[in-house]
Amino acid sequence: MTSTLGSAESIAGRVRTMRETVLGEAGESERLRTLSPAVVEAMWDAGLMTAFNPAPAGGVEPSFAEMIETWIEMAWQDGSFGWVGIANLPSSFAAAAYLPDAGFAEVFTAHDNRVTMGGQFFPNGQGTAVPGGYRLTGSWSFGSGIGHSQYVAAGFLPMDGTEMRWVSEGVPDMQVAVLPREQVSFNDGWHVQGLKGTGSYDYSVDDVFVPAERTFALFTREPLRGSSPATRMGMMPVTAAGHASWALGVAKSMLDDVQELAETKFRMSDMASLASRPTFQKGLAHHVAAWRAARLLVLDAFETAESAVGAGQALTPALRADMRVAAVYATDVARQCAEWAHLVAGTSSIREGTRLERAFRDMYTGTQHAFISEKIAIDAAQIWLGVIDDQFGL
């Protein structure tokens, strides 16, 4: 299966054609607690599900700018749709780029590249080394996008008997296993405040054999497929770009909805429309400007690193810190925009089923993620200050 996209520049445009479907299915996805079949099929029809993959896996290897704009558009349409975009698309991107040839053939080539993948990459499992691979046991939480995924990613620590493996002093070996869905036990405990439609189930495996060819190193930057700089930057920058874009997209939907609402919104005992009130006008100007500034920061940080790697330079700790801080900052700004929009919309923002109400719940769920926590900003600042030379998790 080759990509249905002609070029990277068309990805965000293809996603825009999905607006009616995604908006119309948002309530159904929340009811199902995973993306509705109609939305999943629309992702395949638009060529979205494979778009970020290396070319041998049906992708077009887009730039970071195109990935960011695509994710913003997805999250603008619906928070759960956008969140699945930052789960499924990077998961298949990483597996397609970094799996050994035999694993790639089994997972991608054998299925004509029609592969959906989600899961949790943090090493919450242990894999005991055995001939040909590992015996994997573990439990993972928040496996976003696995409600409709035929393969599930699961991070783990390789074990030689009872001993952990280490790649350097203080840094354990961390690997990712790619598991067929039928080998995984799912705990449908996804009853949450927001991001209800993401199918982010808990899951586990118990003493499952995983061949070595269906594993890859979590922090690798050595692609076996693909020629874009992103494949040589690894999972962390792609994931960080996704989180930043998602927050920006959800915030943009709320700002847009409030701006439209303001023309007809009248508060009780107030004869002036919301749009005519100077305090609203100032607030709108401030938050739209903050949103635009955060978006530009994200684009600058990721494009700067991408250009450096594309020119053959190293992805330095400082470049990685810049990208992660941009993601944290954009998330903070997006949350502030969401809080303001929710407040000024008054009772219109509390009515169930509206995009404004759903986006607010999604924002305050998605921004709890550890990947954009204050610890990331602290780690980055310590690199800038010279307190530490590097932090491998950035």
Side-chain angles (χ1 to χ4, degrees):
M1 176 181 176
T2 57
S3 174
T4 59
L5 294 167
S7 68
E9 286 69 34
S10 64
I11 302 174
R14 289 292 188 97
V15 175
R16 290 187 192 99
T17 69
M18 298 175 62
R19 284 185 173 184
E20 183 176 350
T21 298
V22 172
L23 291 170
E25 291 287 317
E28 178 67 0
S29 293
E30 288 217 331
R31 186 187 71 80
L32 295 172
R33 290 177 291 112
T34 189
L35 279 193
S36 75
V39 175
V40 175
E41 192 58 34
M43 293 175 74
W44 281 109
D45 290 344
L48 177 60
M49 205 70 90
T50 58
F52 288 16
N53 288 355
V60 295
E61 304 192 23
S63 67
F64 268 99
E66 181 62 19
M67 286 191 280
I68 288 164
E69 294 305 326
T70 299
W71 278 320
I72 288 175
E73 171 64 26
M74 293 178 74
W76 181 90
Q77 292 180 22
D78 175 58
S80 288
F81 178 52
W83 194 265
V84 165
I86 70 172
N88 285 158
L89 305 189
S91 294
S92 59
F93 157 86
Y98 307 124
L99 277 176
D101 288 345
F104 177 80
E106 177 186 351
V107 175
F108 288 91
T109 307
H111 296 95
D112 199 22
N113 294 330
R114 191 178 174 91
V115 175
T116 310
M117 191 178 304
Q120 170 63 259
F121 285 68
F122 191 80
N124 281 337
Q126 290 189 351
T128 301
V130 295
Y134 304 92
R135 304 296 308 189
L136 180 63
T137 297
S139 298
W140 295 263
S141 300
F142 309 124
S144 298
I146 60 176
H148 54 270
S149 297
Q150 65 263 51
Y151 281 94
V152 177
F156 72 97
L157 298 171
M159 305 291 291
D160 294 312
T162 59
E163 298 295 323
M164 288 175 53
R165 291 180 182 173
W166 301 85
V167 296
S168 62
E169 184 176 355
V171 181
D173 185 10
M174 289 177 268
Q175 297 282 324
V176 178
V178 175
L179 306 169
R181 184 180 189 87
E182 56 270 19
Q183 293 184 343
V184 178
S185 297
F186 296 93
N187 172 19
D188 184 9
W190 190 237
H191 298 272
V192 286
Q193 175 188 32
L195 295 177
K196 292 184 176 183
T198 59
S200 301
Y201 308 138
D202 297 344
Y203 59 102
S204 62
V205 298
D206 185 15
D207 196 33
V208 169
F209 175 71
V210 184
E213 58 264 25
R214 267 200 278 111
T215 67
F216 61 91
L218 174 59
F219 293 115
T220 183
R221 297 180 205 140
E222 299 178 1
L224 300 178
R225 271 149 244 106
S227 58
S228 70
T231 62
R232 286 176 276 134
M233 295 169 69
M235 271 292 291
M236 297 302 107
V238 174
T239 304
H243 277 277
S245 306
W246 177 84
L248 289 170
V250 174
K252 182 68 159 56
S253 78
M254 296 186 72
L255 292 173
D256 287 350
D257 286 357
V258 162
Q259 186 171 341
E260 181 178 350
L261 174 70
E263 299 175 4
T264 57
K265 176 73 176 179
F266 290 82
R267 290 289 191 123
M268 188 178 296
S269 303
D270 191 344
M271 298 303 295
S273 69
L274 187 60
S276 67
R277 294 170 59 185
T279 52
F280 173 79
Q281 295 165 0
K282 179 181 182 297
L284 180 66
H286 171 80
H287 287 92
V288 169
W291 185 93
R292 291 176 180 174
R295 173 183 169 273
L296 289 175
L297 173 65
V298 169
L299 287 169
D300 177 71
F302 285 88
E303 288 180 326
T304 297
E306 181 181 42
S307 295
V309 172
Q313 300 173 28
L315 185 63
T316 63
L319 287 172
R320 287 162 37 227
D322 288 353
M323 288 185 286
R324 296 299 297 275
V325 166
V328 172
Y329 180 78
T331 300
D332 289 345
V333 168
R335 186 168 46 234
Q336 293 162 13
C337 290
E339 182 179 3
W340 175 82
H342 184 268
L343 180 63
V344 298
T347 55
S348 299
S349 64
I350 65 173
R351 298 196 179 276
E352 290 185 351
T354 64
R355 187 170 73 154
L356 191 60
E357 180 266 343
R358 187 169 57 247
F360 184 75
R361 288 188 286 105
D362 290 343
M363 179 65 76
Y364 274 86
T365 300
T367 55
Q368 294 286 357
H369 202 287
F371 204 84
I372 34 78
S373 69
E374 67 175 9
K375 182 183 183 304
I376 303 302
I378 292 169
D379 289 343
Q382 289 182 346
I383 288 174
W384 292 343
L385 292 166
V387 175
I388 59 175
D389 294 328
D390 198 359
Q391 217 296 338
F392 69 87
L394 287 180

